[in-house]
Structures are given as structure tokens and as C-alpha cells.
């Protein structure tokens, strides 16, 4: 076993250039595969695009203020609904466990399987992410940190990232209008594959540490002689007890009451930030695009989000607050590191806003890199994601961007799937003693999302290219 580990370690440290070349080849091969899969069906559409849409399943087509047509299929039980439900169930189960939401699976499913247009798919995806995230957060509210006497949700970590995540959502929605689809898709494929690859190797590293800990624990047990244990247990101590009774440790509580396990002050701050930015977003949608009031409401979101995050960052820098789930590593916080984390929080929200994702695709791997335990990383990323996704749902509902029956149905599917996923994986971790399972699920979900989102995006790009549509930058104020 040690020989295998040694060989694996030498391979890991000695082949960095080879891994880089393999990664580049993987990105290229994946892109070519998605084009190859999408091309045959698109060739059939070709010049008869308008006729083929008439043959498809019945849909409601409504025209928005900007001329964009929302395509909503009728809700009828059939293969599309069954297939979409199965994909949504597994996507929500894996997404809730990994702390990534599952938007990278939901959006392609809603577009390719159910038949929604891309923007309606994004809105419905947010409903599903909200359902899975809210259920997961409720499930986690009573759980404790795996090794410390703390809640499994790190509220200080959420205070550092959640306001910037919500701010990024607002920016992402704007950039979604501005940037061409092909630019977003290409960057997304590269980012997702890089993130999933890094998360996979992080999982392998964690797995090796767990294996080493198990081996050390087994050796320690073998070194203890049975006769010495019996002698120590039978030796009477003052008070009529044995040493066995005296040294028996009190196990850590896995669950406590919700009231005891919530940091109400921190939660209150996060809710206030959510309400203020939501109000500004709703107000912005009822103003003229690019008017003075429109830009004012946009700009007012910055001091709200930046103020809360700056307060948390300064408190961490001066030592008044600590991200306790990191242990001793949370005592020293360089300024440049805090600024970088704030920037990453905005980027996570921006990506989520552009593509209908939850932001956990960035936060989950980042928390693992920071040294946060997998259980805490997943729970905290989902907690922060719940605020950003729910804000989008309220906004999309007021703008009538999705059909309510479909939203309620897939919301329910995601909710049930999140409960099942959390329960099954927690049981597996308890039986196997392998928290690295969460990291592998995270990496797998991100990789599958890269394939699905990339495939759906490239299919749409080829379709537009064949119809000779404009594929450049759009006007933000049109």
C-alpha cells in the first residue's frame, strides 16, 4: 500500500507539464465531442427551422417588451416530463450534497429535454436551485461541525462571501444581455473543466489523508495490550468507580436544537442585505433601462454589499472575528487575500447571474482550497447560494419569466431530491468515514455540468450560425 502511495506521490509531483497538456487536450476533445453530438440534429433543422418548430410539442409563445419570445411547452405527462424529472432528481441530489446547486444540469435539461427557451430555462433553474438549497439549509440547521463544537454552517464565512455573491448576481444579469453567447459558453467550458479537475485531485488528496488516519488508528489499537487495558479498567479509584468510567469521553453532539445552533445576529444581517438588494433590483426593473434612476438603483447595491463584506473582512484582519472552521489557519489574514476572496465572491455571483447557476460552482471548490472541511464547505456554500437564488426567483416571478405550474413541480422534485441526497450521503460518510465523498460528488457534478452546458450552448451557436444570426456584442440599453 505504501509502495503504491509512494509511486502515486512521485507521479503527482513529477508530471505537472504532462498534466497541463492532458488538460488542454481534454478541453479540446470535449469541445469537439459536443460539436459532433450537436451537429447531426442541427443539420436536420437547417433552412426548415420555422417548419420544424411547428411540428414540435404544443407550446405557448409570448412576446416580451424587448421582442424576445418566451417558449413554454404545455405541461403534459410524457417522456419529456419523465426524463426531465429523472435528470432533475439526480442533479438536485448531487448538487445539494456538493454545495453547487445543480444549475449546470438544470438549464440544459430544461432547454434540450423539456423544450423551454434559454432565458425561461435560466429562471426555472433558479426555482429548482432555491428549492434544493432551502431544503438543504433546513436539514443542516441542526447539524454540528464534524470535529468542533460549532454549527456546520460557518456564518462568518457566509458574511464574507454572501453579500458579494448577491452583488455579482446583479452584475451577471446585466452582462448576460451584453456578452455574446459563444463567449460565455467557451469560458464556461474551460472554467468548469479546470474547476472539476482541481476538485477531483483535492478529493484524491483528502482520500489519502483519510486512509493514512485510518491506518494510524488501526496501528495504535494493535499496540495496546489487552491485559493492560483490563488491568486499568479493573483498578478501583476513589468514589467506587473504575478508570474505565472516569476516562470515558463524552461524544460530540451531532445534532442540537435549531434555536441553539443558529447565530441569529449574523443571520439577521444577511437577511437585511438580501431584502435591501432585492428591493433595489425590483425597483430597477420598473424603471426605464439606462435612465438616471436605473443606474442609481444599480450603484446603490454596491455600498450595501461592500459595507457588510468590508466589516467582516476588517474584523477578520484585526482578529475580532475568526473563521473558526479553519482552525488555527484563520488567525492570520493578509489584506491581499481578503480582497481576492471578495473579488471571487463577486465573480461567483456574476457567473451565476449570466448562466442561471447558483454560484456554488465557484464557492464550493474555493472553500475546500481554503482548508474548510468538506461538510462545512458544502453547507456554507449552499447557505450563501440560497439567498442569491431566492432573490432571482422573486425577481423572475414579478417579471413573469417562468410558468408557475412547471416551477412548482420542479421545485418539489428538487426539494425531495435534496432530502434524499443529504440523507444517503451522510449515512455513507458515517459508515465509511470518508468525507472526501462530498468532494468527488462536487467534482463530478461540475464536470457533467461542463459537458451539458457546453453541449447545449454549442448546439445553440451552430443553430444561430446556420440561420446567419448576429453573434456579436449586444447593446445594454436596447
Amino acid at each position: 500500500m505504501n509502495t503504491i502511495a509512494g509511486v502515486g506521490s512521485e507521479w503527482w509531483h513529477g508530471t505537472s507539464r504532462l498534466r497541463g497538456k492532458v488538460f488542454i487536450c481534454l478541453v479540446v476533445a470535449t469541445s469537439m465531442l459536443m460539436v459532433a453530438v450537436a451537429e447531426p440534429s442541427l443539420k436536420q433543422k437547417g433552412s426548415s427551422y420555422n417548419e420544424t418548430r411547428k411540428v414540435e410539442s404544443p407550446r405557448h409563445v409570448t412576446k416580451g417588451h424587448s421582442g424576445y419570445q418566451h417558449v413554454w411547452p404545455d405541461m403534459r405527462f410524457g417522456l419529456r416530463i419523465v426524463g426531465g424529472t429523472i435528470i432533475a432528481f439526480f442533479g438536485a441530489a448531487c448538487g445539494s450534497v456538493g454545495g453547487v446547486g445543480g444549475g449546470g444540469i438544470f438549464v440544459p435539461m430544461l432547454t434540450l429535454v423539456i423544450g423551454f427557451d434559454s432565458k425561461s430555462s435560466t429562471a426555472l433553474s433558479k426555482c429548482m436551485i432555491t428549492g434544493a438549497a432551502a431544503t438543504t439549509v433546513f436539514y443542516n440547521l441542526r447539524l454540528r461541525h464534524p470535529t468542533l463544537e460549532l454549527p456546520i454552517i460557518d456564518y462568518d464565512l457566509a458574511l464574507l462571501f454572501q453579500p458579494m455573491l448577491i452583488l455579482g448576481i446583479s452584475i451577471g444579469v446585466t452582462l448576460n444581455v451584453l456578452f455574446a453567447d459563444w463567449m460565455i459558453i467557451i469560458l464556461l467550458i474551460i472554467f468548469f473543466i479546470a474547476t472539476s479537475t482541481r476538485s477531483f485531485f483535492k478529493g484524491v488528496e483528502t482520500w489519502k489523508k483519510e486512509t493514512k488516519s485510518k491506518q494510524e488508528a488501526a496501528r495504535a489499537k494493535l499496540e495496546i495490550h489487552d491485559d493492560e487495558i483490563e488491568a486499568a479498567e479493573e483498578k478501583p479509584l476513589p468514589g467506587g468507580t473504575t478508570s474505565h468510567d472516569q476516562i470515558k469521553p463524552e461524544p460530540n453532539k451531532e445534532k442540537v436544537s435549531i434555536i441553539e445552533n443558529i447565530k441569529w445576529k449574523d443571520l439577521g444581517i444577511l437577511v437585511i442585505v438580501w431584502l435591501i438588494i432585492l428591493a433595489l433590483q425590483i425597483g430597477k426593473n420598473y424603471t426605464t433601462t439606462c435612465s438616471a434612476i436605473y443606474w442609481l438603483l444599480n450603484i446603490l447595491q454596491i455600498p450595501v454589499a461592500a459595507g457588510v463584506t468590508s466589516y467582516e473582512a476588517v474584523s477578520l484582519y484585526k482578529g475580532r472575528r475568526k473563521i473558526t472552521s479553519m482552525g488555527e489557519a484563520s488567525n492570520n489574514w493578509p489584506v491581499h487575500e481578503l480582497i481576492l476572496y471578495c473579488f471571487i465572491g463577486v465573480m461567483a455571483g456574476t457567473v451565476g447571474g449570466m448562466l442561471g447557476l447558483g454560484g456554488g460552482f465557484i464557492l464550493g471548490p474555493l472553500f475546500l482550497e481554503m482548508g474548510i472541511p468538506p461538510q462545512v464547505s458544502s453547507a456554507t456554500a449552499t447557505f450563501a447560494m440560497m439567498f442569491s437564488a431566492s432573490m432571482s426567483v422573486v425577481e423572475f416571478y414579478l417579471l413573469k419569466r417562468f410558468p408557475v405550474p412547471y416551477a412548482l413541480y420542479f421545485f418539489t422534485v428538487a426539494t425531495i431530491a435534496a432530502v434524499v441526497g443529504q440523507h444517503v450521503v451522510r449515512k455513507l460518510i458515517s459508515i465509511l468515514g470518508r468525507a472526501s465523498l462530498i468532494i468527488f460528488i462536487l467534482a463530478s457534478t461540475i464536470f457533467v455540468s461542463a459537458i451539458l452546458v457546453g453541449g447545449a450552448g454549442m448546439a445553440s451557436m451552430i443553430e444561430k450560425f446556420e440561420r446567419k444570426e448576429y453573434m456579436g456584442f449586444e447593446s445594454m440599453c436596447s
Side-chain angles (χ1 to χ4, degrees):
M1 184 71 183
N2 293 332
T3 304
I4 296 174
V7 173
S9 177
E10 291 177 5
W11 174 83
W12 169 254
H13 291 290
T15 58
S16 58
R17 290 185 180 180
L18 178 61
R19 290 199 311 274
K21 293 178 180 178
V22 170
F23 169 69
I24 294 173
C25 292
L26 181 62
V27 173
V28 175
T30 303
S31 303
M32 293 175 67
L33 175 63
M34 287 184 287
V35 173
V37 170
E39 190 174 6
S41 62
L42 290 172
K43 283 184 177 180
Q44 294 177 0
K45 290 183 181 180
S47 60
S48 59
Y49 175 76
N50 292 327
E51 286 77 13
T52 56
R53 287 183 66 87
K54 293 178 182 178
V55 179
E56 292 177 357
S57 60
R59 307 174 181 211
H60 295 295
V61 182
T62 57
K63 198 168 184 179
H65 297 292
S66 61
Y68 180 80
Q69 290 187 336
H70 298 291
V71 182
W72 296 352
D74 288 338
M75 193 170 184
R76 296 179 180 178
F77 183 80
L79 290 178
R80 287 176 178 267
I81 294 293
V82 173
T85 300
I86 294 172
I87 296 172
F89 186 90
F90 284 102
C94 295
S96 65
V97 171
V100 294
I105 296 175
F106 299 152
V107 173
M109 178 273 294
L110 292 166
T111 304
L112 300 178
V113 178
I114 306 298
F116 284 96
D117 63 275
S118 59
K119 294 192 176 181
S120 297
S121 297
T122 298
L124 281 170
S125 170
K126 288 293 186 180
C127 296
M128 298 172 70
I129 292 172
T130 301
T135 305
T136 304
V137 169
F138 182 77
Y139 182 91
N140 289 330
L141 283 179
R142 294 182 59 193
L143 298 181
R144 303 291 283 177
H145 191 285
T147 57
L148 304 173
E149 285 297 327
L150 297 167
I152 197 170
I153 297 173
D154 193 320
Y155 289 90
D156 284 300
L157 195 61
L159 276 173
L160 184 64
F161 283 95
Q162 184 257 6
M164 306 309 286
L165 183 69
I166 294 179
L167 178 62
I169 290 287
S170 177
I171 298 173
V173 171
T174 302
L175 293 180
N176 179 266
V177 178
L178 181 64
F179 280 86
D181 290 342
W182 64 270
M183 300 176 189
I184 299 173
I185 294 301
I186 290 176
L187 292 174
L188 187 70
I189 294 172
I190 296 173
F191 170 77
F192 270 11
I193 293 179
T195 305
S196 62
T197 304
R198 177 57 189 161
S199 297
F200 173 78
F201 285 118
K202 186 70 175 180
V204 172
E205 181 183 334
T206 305
W207 181 280
K208 289 180 179 179
K209 290 180 180 178
E210 291 169 344
T211 302
K212 185 177 180 181
S213 298
K214 285 177 174 288
Q215 291 173 345
E216 290 176 352
R219 281 197 298 266
K221 287 182 180 180
L222 292 174
E223 291 174 357
I224 300 176
H225 300 288
D226 292 340
D227 55 343
E228 292 180 354
I229 297 176
E230 292 175 3
E233 289 178 345
E234 297 300 328
K235 183 178 179 180
L237 295 175
T241 61
T242 63
S243 61
H244 175 75
D245 299 322
Q246 291 287 339
I247 64 174
K248 186 177 180 180
E250 182 179 349
N252 292 336
K253 297 179 181 179
E254 290 186 3
K255 290 184 179 181
V256 296
S257 67
I258 292 178
I259 296 176
E260 179 185 348
N261 211 35
I262 294 177
K263 293 185 178 180
W264 292 99
K265 180 181 177 182
D266 294 342
L267 178 61
I269 294 173
L270 293 173
V271 171
I272 290 172
V273 171
W274 181 84
L275 289 172
I276 293 174
I277 294 185
L278 176 62
L280 293 172
Q281 281 286 91
I282 293 174
K284 183 188 72 174
N285 291 327
Y286 290 97
T287 61
T288 304
T289 305
C290 290
S291 64
I293 299 178
Y294 175 89
W295 289 116
L296 177 63
L297 293 175
N298 267 317
I299 294 172
L300 284 176
Q301 297 176 41
I302 298 176
V304 175
V308 174
T309 297
S310 298
Y311 167 77
E312 177 67 19
V314 171
S315 298
L316 289 172
Y317 176 73
K318 293 186 175 181
R320 293 197 298 263
R321 301 177 73 102
K322 294 182 179 180
I323 298 180
T324 48
S325 60
M326 293 178 62
E328 295 297 327
S330 65
N331 293 331
N332 298 316
W333 286 94
V335 175
H336 70 276
E337 198 169 286
L338 290 169
I339 294 174
L340 176 63
Y341 288 154
C342 294
F343 175 75
I344 292 175
V346 175
M347 290 303 299
T350 302
V351 172
M354 284 194 295
L355 301 161
L357 310 179
F361 285 93
I362 296 178
L363 293 186
L366 173 64
F367 290 166
L368 293 174
E369 290 294 329
M370 292 172 64
I372 307 295
Q375 299 96 317
V376 180
S377 169
S378 172
T380 307
T382 304
F383 179 69
M385 192 167 50
M386 178 186 68
F387 287 95
S388 60
S390 59
M391 186 180 72
S392 298
V393 169
V394 175
E395 186 178 350
F396 284 139
Y397 173 75
L398 294 175
L399 293 173
K400 299 180 180 180
R401 292 286 181 88
F402 57 80
V404 175
Y406 264 111
L408 292 176
Y409 174 74
F410 281 115
F411 180 93
T412 304
V413 171
T415 298
I416 297 172
V419 173
V420 174
Q422 288 290 328
H423 182 73
V424 171
V425 172
R426 298 291 175 187
K427 284 291 184 183
L428 287 175
I429 292 175
S430 177
I431 294 171
L432 301 176
R434 299 279 188 178
S436 54
L437 288 174
I438 295 177
I439 306 178
F440 287 122
I441 292 173
L442 168 69
S444 302
T445 306
I446 295 176
F447 183 78
V448 171
S449 299
I451 302 298
L452 294 178
V453 174
M458 287 195 171
S460 176
M461 286 162 49
I462 295 172
E463 187 177 296
K464 289 181 179 180
F465 181 78
E466 290 184 346
R467 299 205 311 266
K468 298 181 179 180
E469 293 185 6
Y470 176 71
M471 296 176 63
F473 287 96
E474 301 288 345
S475 173
M476 190 182 301
C477 300
S478 61

